[in-house]
Amino acid sequence: MKVFCGRANPTTGAVEWLEEDENYDYHQEIARSCYADMLNDKDRNEKYFQGIRAAVGRVKERGERAIVLDIGTGTGLLSMMAVTAGADFCYAVEVFKPMADAAAKIVEKNSFSDKIKIIQKHSTEVTVGPDGDMQCRANILITELFDTELIGEGALPSYEHAHQYLVEEGCEAVPHRATVYAQLVESKRMWSWNKLLPIRVHAEDGEKVVVSLPEMEDCPGAPTVYDIQLNQVPFGDFTALSKVVAVFRIDFSKPVSRASGHHTVQLEPIRSGRAQVVLSWWDIDMDPSGSIKCTMAPYWVQTASDDIPWRDHWMQCVYFLPNEDLVLQGESVDLTAFHDDYSVWYRLQKGRNDDAGIDVCVERPVCCCQAHLLWNRPRFGELNDQNRTAQYVQALKKALKRDSVCLSISDGSLLPVLAHHLGAEQVFTLESSAVSHSLMKKIFKANHLEDKIKIIEKHPELLVSSDLEDRKVSLLIGEPFFSTSLLPWHNLYFWYARTAVASFLTSDVTILPQSASLHMMIVEFKDLWRIRSPCGTCEGFDVHIMDEMIKNSLDFRESREAEPHPLWEYPCKSLSDPLEVLTFDFRHTVPEHVLRKEGILNLLRTGKSHGAVLWMEYHLTPGLSVNTGLLQVSNEKGYCQWTPHCKQAVYFFSSVTEPKPLTSNHSAVAYAIGFSPKTGNVTMDFKLLN
């Protein structure tokens, strides 16, 4: 059956109706999943196998049959481990139909169909009995229901139901327990991901300060955790105010409750400072003795000799406190972790050693200032980047005149405030959503500009002359930034918006930025290549079906094949020089003809060519640019530094395999890059040359 799906094109802003089959959403979910990463996580797989062998062994020592329940089986890997370890039978539960189908094929391929039953249901719908999905309760419970926050994939409700209805009392569980750890830190960099800091602008009539809205001061922020690769955050970017403490534990072999709760630990600050952020992670013990441990601890917690496994499916958590609070060395404070059935959040209390007053914080935090609804964490960092702001201030000083009528087109941008402070006669800002309109209205009011800057809540194509008070725009500005953008070129929506408002511009209008360019470089990733690496075999089991499944599902329609990734979290080295491949001139309207460039890019360094990285650079005025990608190639080895505020586009080559030291299979890459103005799509094709 075919269906038609309406989808807003991030680049053109137009709604497109695309014909899809009924499994389209499934395909997209598989494409964005981490199945390959998990299957290639050797440390995870080995620890699970060890824990499963030990659990089966303990059951057999008691003279019992080993009946396994595997919740969230995915590929069926853990179930196959259990049977290999001697389990008599395994019930493998998987609610996601395409994965359940794949698991059935993989189990059959590995000749385990007689001992593994795939149940395509949510575990809370599974029944036990002669006519049920399971003939009897299991005495071994195996799960992999965890995310970076541990409980974010619904582990607690699933465990609660399983203990009530699906497993025997006192069952063996793999993993056996989990421990959540936390560390209190001060970090200017991380705090800039959560609050809008004051921005100072030097104008002709003195210094102006752009302030945040009052509601943001005590706003708890975005309700979701910020999961990042903490191993890529330099130790100098934060100051530890406490030692690492165990906040709470969950024993999976005993009944588990999904009820909301809290756990308080007393901290003894190891130094004085501003408590701003809680860094958190967890580890799991695969056996009761704790001798088989899988940990997410970052590098500064583990010993120097540890070979820290790389993972992208489990990372570490950054939790922001509602406001910064001064803590003093030697004066204890209480850190409380709250949780509901899916989320964790933290609060800090000073001078309390009991749970008095705790109940006021049990409610899951929700943004009350609206800024966290419009701006994600990287966007906060971008707005707080003083060097970036300085580029826009310099460009505006060059472009502005006393009689300038300015129109800003970006989502929730502070450029209108900067333009006003730097002397624009009249400033209009186009906000296409009710959230951005409401937020900017509050920011303008906090800066006493509610009567100075006019907000127009419209899409560009709906603009009429009266919206601009019948005036012509002499300066059109944009960062550009749009909240719907995923890939670097999606912000080219500014070009389409500029074209839509062309009739309202003066003949000598200044466009800022005046142009943009798309850049490309061939890289070798240290670890990121693993997420698209073939699975083939895993712990001796044939799981190649997943390779075909992932390959067939990689249909990133926004770019044809590129994927967005924040490369500051994923080290890589350049194998080629960066190359400018396409330019987009905003001083003119969007052309009708396709922009295209073909050529050959020579590889200058040895290494494995994992893929191409693409990013945008915006040219504000002659000599002033803002880069959204490569900042520099740091040394002769080619290690790259990337802007932390944006995601870059990564095109993985089809032959992604584990790199071999000091070898290179290719000496050049042939490329063809095209931009279709009609669709807004960037298409690309690459061929590795010997």
Side-chain angles (χ1 to χ4, degrees), residues 406-427:
C406 180
L407 174 61
S408 173
I409 303 179
S410 280
D411 286 349
S413 174
L414 299 179
L415 287 187
V417 180
L418 301 182
H420 172 79
H421 285 329
L422 293 172
E425 179 184 317
Q426 178 66 59
V427 180

Side-chain angles (χ1 to χ4, degrees), residues 618-629:
Y618 294 97
H619 310 287
L620 307 181
T621 61
L624 287 174
S625 297
V626 171
N627 194 343
T628 69

